[in-house]
Structure formats: structure tokens, C-alpha cells
Amino acid sequence: MKFGKEFATQTVPEWREAYMNYIYLKTLLDEILISRQRQTRSQVNPKPPQPSLKRKVSLFRAFSGLTNSSPGKYKEDEVIIVNKMQQADEEQGGVCQSYQTIFLRSSEEGGDLELVFFRGLDHEFNKVIHFYKTKAEEAVKEAEELNIQMNALIALRIKVHNPVEVIQESKISEEHQDQKRLEDVDEYKMASLDVLNRVKINATTETPVSTVRSVFNSLNMDLNYNKNELKEAQGKLKQAFLEFHQKLRFLKNYAFLNQLAFSKIMKKYDKITSRNASDAYLQTVEGSYLSQSDEVAKLIERVESVFIKHFCNGDRNRGMNTLRPKSKREKHRVTFFVGCFFGFSLALMVAIIASVRARDLLESEGRTRYMNTIFPLYTLFGFLVLHMLMHAGNVYFWTRYRVNYSFIFGFKQGTELGFKQVLLLSFGLSVLVLAAVLANLEMELDPKTQSYKTLTELLPLGLVIVVVLIAICPFNILYRSNRFFFLVCVWHCICAPLYLVTLPDFFLADQFTSQVQLLRNLEFYVCYYGWGDFKKRDATTCNESNIYQTISIVIAVVPYWIRVLQCIRRFCEGRDSTQAMNGLKYLSTIAAVVSRALYSQKRGITLKIIAASTSGIATIFSTYWDLVMDWGLLCRNSENPWLREKLILPSRSIYFIAMVLNVILRLAWMQTVLDFHEAPFLHRNALIAIVASLEIIRRGIWNFFRLENEHLNNVGKFRAVKTVPLPFSYEGEDKDL
């Protein structure tokens, strides 16, 4: 792999703009190379010179000949001179150092290109140093804050665990190993217990009860010196140390990669120009803050020492495995099983189609009853598999274009699922579902299994139970951390607005707004197996019940109402008017959903007009929000017309195609108002399934561009690690602990 590609793959995605622009400098070197090649060809095969240019050409040849005949005559400091300068720092209001290279050969043929190269090189070098120094200074300040927090945590530990008993037990069991630690405890006991008189503990782990209490009480609470407070404070501070250590490792890698990039580009310059300027410039690089500063390295050592001692009981192996988790290895068995399950799915689909056509089931008398009962039961899984396949495609393209979806969603490092893992789950579920469908058909039509009619009808319910049991399985199988993460987000959505709204929470709630038909199918499961006569495959009790239809409307509203509550919570926390407008958008969608549902049940020209008007307003509102707010597109003054300034995808046309598809797929509601569900060539439930699938596809497209825009926002603010709330706050501004 060439260095340019390797360099790009090892950079921190959110800091990409702060790295040395290796591609740009390499482009300048390519121009210098082309210029020199033209110069060489003109010397080997000179054209007949015009009389007016004869003297200039001869002078040029003589000078060039001297240069080429004795390349080692000049000393390296006569090629370039790098000066260190002082200039005002507008951002921090002080003075910062910068470097400026004086190129001594600019009068030569093609020297102007080399002069441009060194100007670009200086610009990149100064940019890198400024960014690194800024981040290093931020890290020092964060270390001071963590040190203060650690003092408070140690004091709280001593207060909670009764230091007299702790020390006595330690002397009995660890006297020969841990004498130094006991001395540290005594020191903290004497010097740090008064810290507790000047600190308060921030709100503990958020729960619905704590949120309700916070409406009437202050968000900060006095210390009660109990084990629960200690556990929660320790958990927050441990996570803060993990994120801080990751940031320090990013900084260390940033310095190393940029030094290597400057070395590579200067060696390439020497090779192209046959000069020896790299030594002089690289000496400047080695003597700069980028190379000489050891603050980051020292902080890494201190963080690791403190983390191992206070969060891992001195177990270095466990501490280092936690701080520096090993990267995931690609498992070939995952690829193997993805292929197997995909093949099984295709084979089962062919078998089902062959069975239906061989027995002419589409023209049988039970066709309508089957479409009204069994078809909705299995399409629930079809919607789920389609959504998972769209997510797998998104993960693939997020990975390909280096969208840091793991950081954005907040996955624990190394636990995020790749696109192959998502495909494995998708095709595995599809095999289960298709096998159940085929078994259902065979058991129903085979005379030997006619007596198992009840068992035949219970197959879909059994499949739902299996999927639910897998989702809540407490054992460490089938990506337990991801399942737990998903269930926590679902719980946060259900309890909205009682939890702090994070991106995974409202992102998942948006997915639910595109899975309304799946939620209605769940309602049908409850009704069909609870109140319907499933043994006779009769769903009349459900489909003709006014209560069932009313609940169906409520279920369709619930996902949008969750988003409204989330917007209210975010508005109350940040007083952001954008969230108020977003809440109005979902309210308009609720009005459209309710009016369309009422029209589909009761008909009437008045309801039709109301449904069409509310749906039109909601569609315009939602489409504008998708394109402008969620995707960040339709910018008039952008360098990319009607797009945003920064784009990740290489082709602009993809963004326009996505915008057009978003508009078209959002108009799928028109089939309800225009009575397309009455078409004789397609069953009503089949059309509903197609429209629901189109909405899932639209949501999948939306997901990619929404996360791309979020990634670019993080890039613009250089946010590469999570901000963890610290456990302790201080009375007033007194932090001298």
C-alpha cells in the first residue's frame, strides 16, 4: 500500500483536516516532476530556437548544465533556510511560533513551482504544530481536572469504607506486598478528607424517578457517603479516564504520523529534484514542539498508572487491556456463515415459490383468508429483515468512507458490529422465517399433518417468541453488548422524556416512525392469538372490531409522539428553538397519520380532503427538514451548488438522486388517499406491505446521510472522543483541592 493511502487510513477521522495534507503536497511534487521532465526533453531534443530567444536559451542551458554537473557542490543550508518566527495568535490572544522556509533556488527554471511547494509545506507544518499544541494544552487542563476529581473520589472511598478497618485488614493480608499503598492511604486520609466539605456529587445515574425528582429539586445533591454514590462516582470517573486516555493516544499517533508524513514528502522532494533539502527541513521538524514536547507521553504514563492502581486493584494486565483494547480480528467463519445463510435463504425462497405455483395456491379459495391472517404474521419478519439489510449496507458505506459510526452511536470500543455481522443476523433470521413459512405450507397441505392444525397456526407465534428470547438472552452469545445497547435505547424511548435524549435514542425513535406497519402487525399478533379464532384461521374478530381499529391508530401515533416528547426534553435542556420546530414537524405528521387512518376506515369526501391536506403539509415540512436540517444540504452559497461545503461521497449526483428518492418515497401515503388499495390485481395487505417496505428503504437512505452530516459536524469541531460528565462539582469556583 502506498504511503498516501496508508496515511489516510490511520488518521483520526474527526481530525482529518488537521493532519498534514499529504495529497496536496504530493500533487505539487508531481507538477515539479512534470516540469523537470519537459525541461529534460527540451535539452535532449531542442527545437530550432528563434533568433530573439537564442541568447536566453543559451544562458539557460549554461546555468542548467552547471547545476546538473555538480549537484553536491552546494551545502544543504544553501538549498533552503528555515526560520523560526513569532506571530500573534488570534484564537488564544497570545504569541505563537511559526516556521518560514526561504528557498534559495527560486531563480532556476521551474523554481517558482518549488517555491509554491515550500510555502504549502510551511503552511501544513504550522497548522500541524498549532493543532497539536492546542490539543496538548487542553489535555493538560483536563488532567488537572481529573486530578481534582480523583482526590475527591479517594476521599469518598476512605469515608465510605471506614479507613481504620481498611488499613487494619490490609496490614494483615497484604503487609508484605502493599506497604507503599498503605502509606498512600494514610496520606490521603490526612490531606484529602476535608475535600468532601467543598464538593457535591452530580446527579446520579438517570432514571425516570430521578428525573421527576430533579423537577422539584436541584440537579446536584449533597454527599451522603454511601456505597451507591461511591459506585456511581467511580463508574463515571473510570469512563472519563478511558476517554481521556484514548484522546492522548490519538494525540501521540497524530504527532507520529505527521512527522512520518513530513519525512516521506521531503524524501520524495529530494528524489524528484536531485537536491538535499530534506535534512535541513527534518532537523527543523525534529526540533519543533511536535517532536520535542513530551507532555502527552508523560500524561499517558500517569493516566495508566493511576487507572491501574485505583480502578484495577493494581492488576496491570487487566488495566492495559481495558485502556488499550485489542482491535477486532476479521473472523472467516462469519463470512462463511453469511454465505451459507444467504444460499439457504435463496433455496427456501425458490422452494416456497415452487410449492405455491405447483399447488396453484394463488387461485385457491383460501387465498383471501391466508392473506388476511398468515401473511401479516410473517411480513412482520420481512420488515425487520429488510431494515437490517439496509443497516448492513449503511455500515458498509460508513466504513468505506470512514464515517465514525461507532463513536457517533457511542458503542464501547471494539463492540460495534461490522456489515458482515449485521448480514449474518439478517440472513440467519431470514432462514428461520422462510423455513417456518415453508413448514407452514407443507403442514397445512400434507394429509398426514392435518390433525396438527393448531400447531400449524402457532408457528409464527413460536417464531416471535424465539426472536424475543434471543434478544433478551442474558448469556454472552450473539453480540450481547449490542443487544443490551439496543434494549436500553428502546427503554429510553418508551420512557421519554424522563431520560436524557442522546443521539442513539432519537435515532432509534426515528426508525420506529418508519416501522409503523411492523408495530401494527404486533398488535395483530396479540389480537389474533388472544381474541381471534386462530385455530380456524379466522381474523374477523380483529379486523371488524372498532376497538382494534382505534388501537391501530394509537399505535401509529406512538412513535411520532415519542419523538415529540424527546424534542420537548431537548428544548427544555438547551432552549434550542430548532427542537421546538422539530417537535411541530412530528405533530404535523401525527395529524396526517390520524386523518389518513380515519379516512381509510370511514371514507367520505370531507375526510379525504383533510387527509390529503394534512399529509401534504407534513410531507413538505418533513422533506425540508430531511434535506436541510438532517442532511445539511440545499446550501445556496456552498462551493457545491445546492449541497454542503464538505461532501464524503465522491460523486455529487448521488446526493441529488437521494434527495429525489426521498421526495418520491415520502409520497407513498398518496396510495391511501387515492384508493390504490382497492386495485383488483393486488391484495390490500400486499399493497400495504409494499408501501411499508418503501418507507423502510427511504429510512435506510436517510440513515446514511443523517450520520454523514453528524460525522462532518464532529469533524468541524474536532470531536473525536466522548464527553463524559464528571461525578463531582465544587461550591462556587473553589477548585483548589
Side-chain angles (χ1 to χ4, degrees), residues 708-719:
E708 178 200 15
N709 192 33
E710 185 70 23
H711 171 76
L712 291 175
N713 290 334
N714 290 333
V715 169
K717 299 176 182 178
F718 299 109
R719 293 183 299 194

Side-chain angles (χ1 to χ4, degrees), residues 108-385:
E108 295 183 11
E109 181 70 19
D112 53 342
L113 293 177
E114 297 182 52
L115 185 61
V116 172
F117 168 76
F118 280 107
R119 287 178 180 174
L121 188 68
D122 288 341
H123 172 75
E124 297 299 320
F125 187 39
N126 293 325
K127 176 187 73 175
V128 167
I129 291 178
H130 176 72
F131 179 82
Y132 182 74
K133 187 174 182 179
T134 302
K135 288 296 181 181
E137 290 173 352
E138 290 178 3
V140 171
K141 294 179 180 179
E142 291 180 28
E144 294 174 355
E145 177 66 26
L146 288 177
N147 186 57
I148 297 171
Q149 295 281 325
M150 199 67 207
N151 287 339
L153 178 65
I154 292 172
L156 182 59
R157 279 180 177 176
I158 296 172
K159 191 72 174 179
V160 170
H161 291 299
N162 192 346
V164 176
E165 295 180 2
V166 172
I167 294 173
Q168 290 176 350
E169 292 177 2
S170 298
K171 286 181 178 179
I172 295 173
S173 61
E174 302 178 4
E175 184 175 0
H176 64 288
Q177 302 179 10
D178 217 8
Q179 185 64 32
K180 187 175 182 299
R181 194 161 89 189
L182 292 176
E183 293 173 358
D184 291 342
V185 171
D186 289 335
E187 179 182 352
Y188 284 121
K189 177 185 176 183
M190 295 170 57
S192 301
L193 287 180
D194 61 335
V195 167
L196 301 178
N197 298 325
R198 290 176 285 158
V199 300
K200 290 184 177 181
I201 191 168
N202 294 328
T204 55
T205 303
E206 191 176 33
T207 63
V209 176
S210 66
T211 303
V212 173
R213 287 178 179 174
S214 67
V215 175
F216 305 99
N217 302 318
S218 173
L219 288 176
N220 293 332
M221 300 181 297
D222 293 330
L223 286 168
N224 297 319
Y225 309 121
N226 58 56
K227 292 185 178 181
N228 290 333
E229 285 183 347
L230 175 61
K231 182 179 179 180
E232 292 171 1
Q234 182 169 300
K236 287 184 178 181
L237 199 52
K238 180 180 179 180
Q239 187 62 34
F241 267 88
L242 289 173
E243 296 298 332
F244 184 56
H245 185 266
Q246 184 179 20
K247 180 178 180 179
L248 293 175
R249 287 192 292 115
F250 284 165
L251 272 176
K252 184 178 180 180
N253 185 62
Y254 173 86
F256 170 77
L257 282 179
N258 280 288
Q259 291 178 68
L260 183 59
F262 283 112
S263 175
K264 291 286 186 180
I265 203 70
M266 286 306 302
K267 295 293 178 59
K268 192 173 184 64
Y269 169 81
D270 283 357
K271 182 179 180 181
I272 289 175
T273 61
S274 300
R275 303 190 192 279
N276 188 19
S278 61
D279 291 344
Y281 203 90
L282 292 181
Q283 285 179 6
T284 303
V285 174
E286 291 175 1
S288 67
Y289 184 86
L290 187 66
S291 301
Q292 294 299 316
S293 174
D294 59 352
E295 293 175 344
V296 173
K298 289 181 178 179
L299 283 175
I300 290 177
E301 294 179 0
R302 293 171 185 170
V303 168
E304 291 175 353
S305 176
V306 171
F307 187 86
I308 292 169
K309 179 179 180 181
H310 295 286
F311 295 103
C312 298
N313 294 325
D315 189 340
R316 181 170 180 81
N317 289 332
R318 190 179 68 159
M320 296 307 296
N321 289 335
T322 304
L323 288 170
R324 300 183 178 184
K326 297 179 181 179
S327 58
K328 292 194 304 182
R329 293 183 179 180
E330 185 69 23
K331 296 180 179 179
H332 296 292
R333 66 172 178 265
V334 173
T335 305
F336 173 77
F337 281 112
V338 167
C340 287
F341 289 152
F342 177 69
F344 293 158
S345 298
L346 290 180
L348 289 170
M349 289 177 65
V350 172
I352 291 172
I353 294 173
S355 177
V356 170
R357 293 187 62 85
R359 296 165 183 174
D360 200 17
L361 297 180
L362 295 178
E363 302 299 330
S364 64
E365 296 180 358
R367 169 180 175 271
T368 302
R369 179 178 295 181
Y370 187 91
M371 293 298 295
N372 288 333
T373 54
I374 303 301
F375 183 78
L377 299 178
Y378 283 115
T379 51
L380 178 145
F381 299 101
F383 299 146
L384 188 59
V385 170

Side-chain angles (χ1 to χ4, degrees), residues 16 59 156 291 331-332 495 589 604 647:
R16 189 179 304 168
L59 287 174
L156 182 59
S291 301
K331 296 180 179 179
H332 296 292
C495 297
T589 306
L647 303 174

Side-chain angles (χ1 to χ4, degrees), residues 14 57 77 120 137 143 300 303 331 334 351 409 452 520 625:
E14 288 76 14
V57 172
D77 61 348
E137 290 173 352
I300 290 177
V303 168
K331 296 180 179 179
V334 173
F409 285 129
Y452 298 101
R520 283 174 168 169
W625 199 272

Side-chain angles (χ1 to χ4, degrees), residues 660-671:
V660 173
L661 283 176
N662 184 275
V663 174
I664 293 174
L665 294 177
R666 273 202 174 275
L667 294 176
W669 56 266
M670 293 181 65
Q671 60 87 20

